Structure formats: C-alpha cells, structure tokens
Amino acid sequence: MNQDFIRLGIIGIGNMGSEHCRNIAAGKCPEIRITAGADLREDRRTWFRENIPEPVEVYESGEDLIHSSDCDAVLICVPHYGHEELAVSAMENGKHVLCEKPAAVTARAARHMCEVSGKTGKTLTFMFNQRTNCLYRGIHDVLSSGEFGKIKRMNWIVTDWYRTQKYYDSGSWRATWAGEGGGVLLNQCPHQLDLLIWLCGMPVSVTAVCHEGKWHHIEVEDDVSVYLEFPGGATGTFIASTGELPGTNRLEIDCEMGKIVCEDGITKCWKLPQNERDICYGSDNPWFSIDPAAYVLRTDGQNPQHIGVLNAFAAHLLRGDPLIAEKEDGLRETILSNAIYLSGWTGKPVTLPADESEYEQRLKEKTAGSALKTGDDITYNTNHTGTGKKDS
Amino acid sequence: MNQDFIRLGIIGIGNMGSEHCRNIAAGKCPEIRITAGADLREDRRTWFRENIPEPVEVYESGEDLIHSSDCDAVLICVPHYGHEELAVSAMENGKHVLCEKPAAVTARAARHMCEVSGKTGKTLTFMFNQRTNCLYRGIHDVLSSGEFGKIKRMNWIVTDWYRTQKYYDSGSWRATWAGEGGGVLLNQCPHQLDLLIWLCGMPVSVTAVCHEGKWHHIEVEDDVSVYLEFPGGATGTFIASTGELPGTNRLEIDCEMGKIVCEDGITKCWKLPQNERDICYGSDNPWFSIDPAAYVLRTDGQNPQHIGVLNAFAAHLLRGDPLIAEKEDGLRETILSNAIYLSGWTGKPVTLPADESEYEQRLKEKTAGSALKTGDDITYNTNHTGTGKKDS
C-alpha cells in the first residue's frame, strides 16, 4: 500500500474491541488509524465516539460498516459465531481482515474464510497474540533450530484460566452451545492450542475428556483433559480448566537432546551432550543417568501481545512484512479444537481432521438443547494488555 | 512375639535381595537377623554365605527354605510371577511375609495372597518403600488433615525412570510378557501407583495408552499415559516412561483450598484463605484472581526407604506396631495396574476393578506371543538405599 497508515474499521466494541481501541487511540499502533466502528449497542457506540479521535464513522452493524466505510481493513471482535459471515463479507468487499480468536467455531467456517481470502487476495489473520510472547518465541526458535532434536512428549497444564460464576453470568451468549459453541477450549484455549501446533506440530489424533458444567452452572465444558499423538510418534497431554485456583501454566517439552519447561514466566532448558537415542543403544550402563545443569532460555524480553499483532498486521499490509500468524494457523487451531470436542462427545479417539459433518451434527444437537441465558450483557473495562491471566 | 528380633529368610538374592542383605548385615535393622537365604544360582548363594554372618542356612529354592528353615518370616525378592506361590506357601507354613513390589502381576494372585494371609493369620505386606519418603508422608498428612479440602485434580509426570537397552538386556525375563508380565507400569511404577492411591484415593476408572517397545527393543510398554477419574469427581493424569532424559518427577495435586506440587525434592503449597467453591459462587469479580505465597511443606526429613519398611515389619511382628503398607494396599495397586493395562490393550476406558478374566485372557495372549530372551542374567551391585532414580 502506498500510504503511511492503514485505515481500520472495528466491528464489535465490547471487551476486546474497546481494548484495541484504547491501545490504538493511545498511540501504540502508529501505522493504524481507526476510521470506523460498529456495534449493535448504543452505549458502546457512544463510548466509541467519545474515545476515538475524529474523523470516525460509526455504524450500528458490521455489515453497514463493511459496505459503507472506505477503510482498508477490519478488526472483527464479535462473538465467535459471527466471525465467518463478517470476515467473508469484508474480504468480498475489498477489506483485509484481522479477526479475534478463535477463527471460527467450526473448521468448515474457518476453511471457508481461508478460501475467500485466497480467492479475493485479501489478507486474513487472527489475534494469536500469545505468539508475540518472548517465552514462546524463544521456545519456537530453539525447537526450530533443531538443537534439541525431535520432540518425544509434551505436557501442558493450563489451569490458570480461573473464572467465577459471575463471569459466565455476564453475557447471555457466554458458555452456551447456541451462543458460543463451547467453553474453556473455545474461549480461553485457542491461544494454547495454536501455540501447541506452532511449537510441536499438528497432532494426528486426540483422545479427550471434556467435563461440562463441572465447576460452574454452565452447559459447556470447563474442564478438559486431552491425550495427543503427533506424526513423528511424539505424544502429549493438554489439561485445561477454569475452575482451579491458583492454577498452573506449565509447558514441558521433552526432546531427544533434553527438555524444556516453561513455567512462572521463565523457560528452563536441560541440554544433553549427546542424543538420548544414542545413549539408549550405546551405553553399557543399565541405569545411565545424567543431570545436566538447567539454564534459563534467554529471550529478547519483548511481549507486545495485541499491540504486536496489530502492528504486524499494519506492516504486512503496508510493506509486506510477515504476519504473526497465517490464516491457515487459524484453521489448524479450529481443526484441533473440533477434534477434541468430537472425541470428548463420543468418548473415542479422533483422527485429525475430524469428520466435520459428525462434529457439526453433534454441535447442532448440543445447540438445539441449549438455553440462551437471560440477563444483561455486561462490558467490563478490563486491562488485557499484559501477559496475565485475563488475557483472552 | 516374645523375642528381641525376627529371624528372616531371604528368597531371591538378586539385585534387591542382595541389597536388603547388605542393609541388614550392616546393622541398619537391629531387630532383624538373617537366618536363611535361597537362590537358584550358585554364585548368589556363595555371595550370601560370604556376606551374611553365621549361623545361616542356605537353600537352592524358596520352597526348600520355607519348608526347612525355622525362620519367623520371609522376604520375597524373586521376579513378580513367583510372588504368589512363594508367599502363599510361606504363610501356609507358618511364616510371615514381606514381599517385593508389585504384590503380583494379576489382581487375582494378589487377592489370593491376601486371602491366605487372612486365613492363616500371618502378616503379609509389601515393599512400598516410597511411602517412607518424608515428602510423600508430608503430603499424606496434609491431605488427610482436610485443610486443603477435596481434591479436584492430580497430575503426575514420572518420567525419571530412565533405562538404557542394556538394562533390558540384563535379564532374560526382563521386559517380557512371559517373564515379567509388563514393563514400566509393572516394574518401575508400582511405587507411584501405590502412592497415588494412598494420597488421592482409589480411582473409579482409567483410560490409558501404553506404547510397547517405543524407546527400547522390548515387547512390553515403556511409555504410558493415563487419564483417571476418582469417586468424588476428581480427575488425574499419570505419565510414565523409561525413555526420557533427563526425566521429570512432578506431582501436582489441586484442591478446593489450593494446590500442592512435589518436585525436585521439595513440596510447595499454595493455600487459599477461602474455599474456591465459595469464591466461585460468591465473588462479584468475573476474573477473580489471587496469588497466595508458596510455602515449602515442612517435613521431618526422614526417608528410610527399604530399611524403614524392614524395621516397621519387624516392629509389627514383635510388638504390633503399624506396617508401612497393609496387604490390601498391594492388592489395590495391582487392581489399578491391571485396569491400566486392560485399557491400554483395548483402547477403551476401564471401570475399576477391571474384568479379571478379560485382563488375564489378554495377558495370556501376550504371553503366548512372548519371546523370552536368551543371554546371561546379570546381577548388578547397585546402591538402592538412596532416594534416587535407581530405587525400584
């Protein structure tokens, strides 16, 4: 693009949309100018008018914004089920798209979005802001370099997504099959599932147990245990919950050349002088043992989160710089998530990609039995810029 | 017993048997006197004669010892499949029994041993020496006291059982279905499975994936991932491997009142000021968060391991003092282990207790296809007295 900044329309000015508005309005994204905003609710439109510098256009619906605004790109921050229609419409109307995670509820929807991006030539990317965290970038670099050899196993305990009942009562769509299409897996975990794929590769099969309404009065799952298998033979476990306090966020990756553990804001590495596979078959010692010193993985300390994704998006449109995540990453995360649900619902291992029709049929049954809650939808003025637990 | 010490016969003077001999001969068990020993191999009998103070009787077989020696009790240290017959014979011939872990390969065998103990009135107990570790005793005390409320989840990664191919090549019976009846679960993990039951209670169901010969040229499993459910609704994962270096031994127990993590030789606790269940339904904060300071669980620092089990056994026989583990603990561990195998073999969740006939039928099929290895059986002069990784 032959311009100094991109003109961005924001669709959905709730929790996340308003957060992005604040960041951009505060000058943290110098290559982005907010030129339009849309929300179904008047109080949010009022907030938007009062907080975003003129000139801005304000619309009641995303479709109105897409058709009337001449912005370059839209940022989609509406509930998951609305992603596909808005993203497709935006791209078909000449606008690039940055969409909140997850890409969509169903892999079919995410695939459709990717196809439209390919067809229209419009950029499509997703808010996988945890990829900007230096801890995960550091692990990605180390694993990509090959210095730890092949991965044998990963265990990720992600139980620091604590939510009270009040959280689930704050929106009528929240934690319902009809309104959200899932629980902790779909709302909180897309980041970790995306990172899991980014760091360890796409699993070939999953076996999951999803407990619905275990810790809260909700109809969707709030407690998940998954066993994963990867193409190269590596295995993994993924544990998530919104009902544990204080939770844990501990990622362990065991490799042929040692192990990597990320917890409490640091990544520790234990590096072997030799490939374990060679030790196994080469050593004369039945109980071979070694205790390599742990070292802290050095990083650049940068963790720009949403701002990093926004700035990369602008730089990509303006100069072709790399995005934080490709559109296929959004699709992959949805494929993994759908497979975990299907395994949880059927009680059986699921080979990836899951049978989309079966997944959708079962989701439809869940949705048919879903009770959208009554009550006011509340927009919280939360700070999502940090790296802490609220970052969803 | 109206005497100052028990007279102990040791059956099997291999790795573990000779270790116990050394400890007792070194005066670490003042209430135990070794009065007899049995081993099929002459070199071991010779070692026994040369290392155990007179008077001792030496036998070629455990049955000979049981029938001819007038010892008060026997310590059974032969491969697992031999436990039942020797223990039953010993009890029926008036001798108390301390048996190496696991109690037996099959729950049916372990139950038979328990029944004979009940019928004969002879004491039966097992070498669950990890129960003497102050770390696990400390956790047991805290959980039993109720101050952490109900357990919600446990995750145990036990991948510090590293073994090279040389280990598996060191005995023709090792790591074969015919000779040992299992791999890492049966040989290395009985301690952790027993502790898991002791600390968290008996699971009601398990779903397991057992990879056979994944990291070694063996026919049994060396890599196991288990998902567990407990009667109160708690869930868990249990991960074990002999193919990871450096491995991990990390036990996390999440409770209503906080969490407990045991790793690297210390147990850390995070204690909530209030039950999480009350916070969940009582707090007005959707993203309630709390960061209680971790404290190290204080222990008595004692970790007598095998010596502790031996001394408790003697004190029980002499004065009725409590054992380290009851006979039913050995049975329970075997029931859990059998269920994990059956789940792994069938690829389905298994409710405890597993169908014993189905388990045994499948084990029989495995055994029929088993190839006992050729080669010399090697007895390693290992030090098993510590708390380290060799302690099996």
Side-chain angles (χ1 to χ4, degrees):
Chain A
M1 276 183 195
N2 189 16
Q3 53 193 70
D4 292 336
F5 56 85
I6 64 164
R7 297 164 303 165
L8 186 70
I10 296 185
I11 301 176
I13 314 171
N15 286 332
M16 292 312 305
S18 61
E19 169 86 3
H20 300 317
C21 285
R22 275 189 293 272
N23 280 330
I24 297 167
K28 295 177 185 173
C29 304
E31 296 186 318
I32 299 178
R33 195 160 299 173
I34 298 173
T35 59
D39 202 289
L40 299 170
R41 276 168 51 177
E42 191 181 348
D43 59 328
R44 288 174 173 176
R45 295 195 298 273
T46 303
W47 178 90
F48 183 76
R49 263 194 211 92
E50 289 169 356
N51 285 274
I52 303 301
E54 289 288 346
V56 288
E57 300 156 18
V58 182
Y59 299 94
E60 290 192 18
S61 81
E63 285 297 338
D64 288 349
L65 184 151
I66 288 165
H67 287 94
S68 304
S69 166
D70 67 345
C71 59
D72 304 304
V74 295
L75 172 54
I76 298 174
C77 312
V78 303
H80 331 312
Y81 274 122
H83 289 183
E84 178 188 9
E85 191 178 338
L86 287 167
V88 165
S89 174
M91 290 186 283
E92 287 179 342
N93 284 278
K95 288 159 176 64
H96 304 286
V97 172
L98 169 54
C99 182
E100 269 294 339
K101 38 58 49 177
V105 174
T106 70
R108 195 190 299 271
R111 184 174 294 107
H112 181 213
M113 293 160 75
C114 289
E115 283 164 1
V116 171
S117 167
K119 214 163 52 188
T120 59
K122 291 296 153 187
T123 294
L124 171 67
T125 186
F126 301 100
M127 189 56 86
F128 285 135
N129 43 287
Q130 289 292 354
R131 286 194 181 206
T132 68
N133 187 328
C134 54
L135 289 171
Y136 301 122
R137 283 187 289 113
I139 296 172
H140 185 259
D141 289 349
V142 164
L143 291 174
S144 303
S145 77
E147 68 167 301
F148 272 78
K150 284 192 207 149
I151 297 176
K152 295 171 165 179
R153 183 194 309 281
M154 50 105 5
N155 293 300
W156 203 342
I157 303 173
V158 195
T159 52
D160 65 341
W161 288 119
Y162 188 67
R163 297 292 185 264
T164 61
Q165 184 62 37
K166 189 80 183 175
Y167 169 84
Y168 291 111
D169 293 342
S170 73
S172 55
W173 58 281
R174 269 204 200 285
T176 63
W177 295 112
E180 195 165 12
V184 62
L185 262 184
L186 199 75
N187 186 305
Q188 280 80 27
C189 288
H191 291 302
Q192 281 81 29
L193 294 182
D194 169 60
L195 291 172
L196 188 159
I197 298 167
W198 190 46
L199 299 174
C200 304
M202 189 70 172
V204 286
S205 77
V206 294
T207 307
V209 180
C210 302
H211 290 281
E212 297 169 358
K214 179 166 190 175
W215 307 114
H216 308 86
H217 299 319
I218 55 174
E219 58 187 40
V220 297
E221 85 289 350
D222 54 5
D223 191 292
V224 173
S225 303
V226 190
Y227 166 78
L228 311 105
E229 293 192 353
F230 295 85
T235 62
T237 56
F238 183 85
I239 312 291
S241 169
T242 58
E244 285 173 30
L245 195 66
T248 294
N249 187 345
R250 180 183 187 276
L251 170 62
E252 171 172 327
I253 302 177
D254 302 285
C255 303
E256 290 177 337
M257 291 293 294
K259 76 174 175 180
I260 300 169
V261 175
C262 181
E263 188 178 13
D264 298 329
I266 63 164
T267 303
K268 285 192 198 168
C269 299
W270 290 258
K271 180 92 183 281
L272 298 173
Q274 192 186 354
N275 189 309
E276 180 282 320
R277 301 284 67 212
D278 296 328
I279 294 170
C280 178
Y281 293 111
S283 171
D284 269 345
N285 184 350
W287 291 277
F288 181 92
S289 136
I290 190 169
D291 194 13
Y295 62 89
V296 173
L297 189 65
R298 292 188 60 171
T299 72
D300 60 20
Q302 301 299 307
N303 187 10
Q305 292 288 327
H306 301 111
I307 296 161
V309 176
L310 285 163
N311 285 335
F313 180 58
H316 178 78
L317 298 184
L318 295 171
R319 292 181 301 281
D321 289 359
L323 294 162
I324 298 297
E326 300 297 327
K327 57 178 177 280
E328 292 81 5
D329 295 317
L331 172 58
R332 272 187 280 265
E333 190 280 320
T334 312
I335 289 172
L336 176 55
S337 170
N338 285 190
I340 294 173
Y341 276 111
L342 187 57
S343 175
W345 295 337
T346 59
K348 290 179 184 161
V350 167
T351 302
L352 271 67
D355 182 320
E356 288 186 10
S357 300
E358 190 184 355
Y359 164 78
E360 286 170 13
Q361 178 56 34
R362 285 180 179 265
L363 177 61
K364 210 169 153 186
E365 288 163 16
K366 292 269 185 191
T367 304
S370 178
L372 272 179
K373 293 167 289 185
T374 53
D376 295 334
D377 287 357
I378 304 165
T379 306
Y380 290 98
N381 184 1
T382 53
N383 177 0
H384 288 274
T385 51
T387 60
K389 295 173 185 174
K390 290 181 189 171
D391 189 3
S392 64
Chain B
M1 277 184 197
N2 190 17
Q3 52 193 73
D4 292 338
F5 55 85
I6 64 165
R7 295 165 302 165
L8 185 70
I10 297 185
I11 301 175
I13 313 172
N15 286 331
M16 292 312 306
S18 60
E19 170 84 4
H20 300 316
C21 285
R22 275 188 293 273
N23 280 330
I24 297 167
K28 295 176 184 174
C29 304
E31 295 187 316
I32 299 179
R33 195 160 300 174
I34 299 174
T35 58
D39 201 288
L40 299 171
R41 277 169 50 178
E42 190 180 350
D43 58 329
R44 289 175 173 173
R45 295 195 298 272
T46 304
W47 178 92
F48 183 77
R49 261 193 213 95
E50 289 169 355
N51 284 274
I52 303 301
E54 291 286 346
V56 288
E57 301 156 19
V58 183
Y59 299 93
E60 290 193 19
S61 82
E63 285 296 339
D64 289 348
L65 184 151
I66 288 165
H67 287 95
S68 303
S69 164
D70 68 344
C71 59
D72 304 305
V74 295
L75 172 53
I76 299 174
C77 311
V78 303
H80 330 312
Y81 275 123
H83 289 182
E84 179 189 8
E85 192 177 335
L86 287 168
V88 164
S89 174
M91 290 186 283
E92 287 180 342
N93 284 278
K95 287 160 175 64
H96 304 286
V97 172
L98 169 54
C99 181
E100 269 294 340
K101 37 59 50 179
V105 175
T106 70
R108 195 190 299 270
R111 183 174 295 107
H112 181 214
M113 292 159 77
C114 289
E115 283 164 0
V116 171
S117 167
K119 214 163 52 187
T120 59
K122 291 295 152 187
T123 293
L124 170 66
T125 186
F126 301 99
M127 189 56 87
F128 285 135
N129 43 287
Q130 289 292 355
R131 285 195 182 206
T132 68
N133 187 329
C134 54
L135 289 170
Y136 300 122
R137 282 187 290 114
I139 296 172
H140 185 259
D141 287 348
V142 164
L143 291 173
S144 303
S145 77
E147 68 166 303
F148 273 78
K150 283 190 208 151
I151 296 176
K152 295 171 165 180
R153 185 193 308 281
M154 50 101 10
N155 295 299
W156 203 341
I157 303 172
V158 194
T159 53
D160 65 342
W161 288 120
Y162 187 67
R163 297 290 185 268
T164 61
Q165 184 63 37
K166 188 80 182 175
Y167 169 83
Y168 292 111
D169 294 342
S170 72
S172 56
W173 58 280
R174 271 205 200 283
T176 63
W177 295 113
E180 195 164 13
V184 62
L185 262 183
L186 199 76
N187 186 305
Q188 281 79 28
C189 288
H191 291 302
Q192 282 81 26
L193 294 181
D194 169 60
L195 290 172
L196 188 159
I197 299 167
W198 189 46
L199 298 175
C200 303
M202 189 70 173
V204 286
S205 77
V206 295
T207 307
V209 181
C210 302
H211 290 281
E212 297 167 0
K214 180 166 189 175
W215 307 114
H216 307 87
H217 299 319
I218 55 174
E219 58 186 40
V220 295
E221 85 290 350
D222 55 4
D223 190 293
V224 172
S225 303
V226 190
Y227 166 77
L228 310 106
E229 294 192 352
F230 294 85
T235 62
T237 55
F238 183 85
I239 312 291
S241 169
T242 57
E244 286 173 30
L245 194 66
T248 294
N249 187 345
R250 180 183 187 276
L251 169 63
E252 171 173 326
I253 302 176
D254 302 285
C255 304
E256 291 178 337
M257 291 293 294
K259 76 173 173 180
I260 299 169
V261 175
C262 181
E263 188 177 13
D264 298 328
I266 63 164
T267 304
K268 285 192 198 168
C269 300
W270 290 258
K271 180 92 184 281
L272 298 174
Q274 194 185 353
N275 190 308
E276 180 282 319
R277 301 283 68 211
D278 296 329
I279 294 170
C280 178
Y281 292 112
S283 172
D284 270 345
N285 184 350
W287 290 279
F288 180 93
S289 138
I290 191 169
D291 195 13
Y295 63 88
V296 173
L297 189 65
R298 291 188 60 174
T299 72
D300 60 19
Q302 301 299 307
N303 187 10
Q305 292 288 329
H306 300 111
I307 296 161
V309 176
L310 285 164
N311 285 335
F313 180 58
H316 178 77
L317 298 185
L318 294 171
R319 291 182 301 280
D321 288 1
L323 293 162
I324 297 298
E326 300 296 325
K327 56 178 176 282
E328 292 81 6
D329 294 318
L331 171 58
R332 272 187 281 266
E333 191 279 322
T334 312
I335 289 173
L336 176 55
S337 170
N338 284 190
I340 294 173
Y341 276 110
L342 187 57
S343 175
W345 294 337
T346 60
K348 290 180 185 161
V350 167
T351 302
L352 273 69
D355 182 320
E356 288 184 12
S357 301
E358 191 184 355
Y359 164 79
E360 286 170 14
Q361 178 56 34
R362 285 180 179 265
L363 177 61
K364 209 169 153 186
E365 288 162 17
K366 293 269 185 190
T367 304
S370 179
L372 271 181
K373 294 166 290 184
T374 52
D376 295 334
D377 287 358
I378 304 165
T379 305
Y380 289 97
N381 183 0
T382 53
N383 177 358
H384 288 274
T385 51
T387 60
K389 296 172 183 175
K390 290 182 188 169
D391 190 1
S392 64

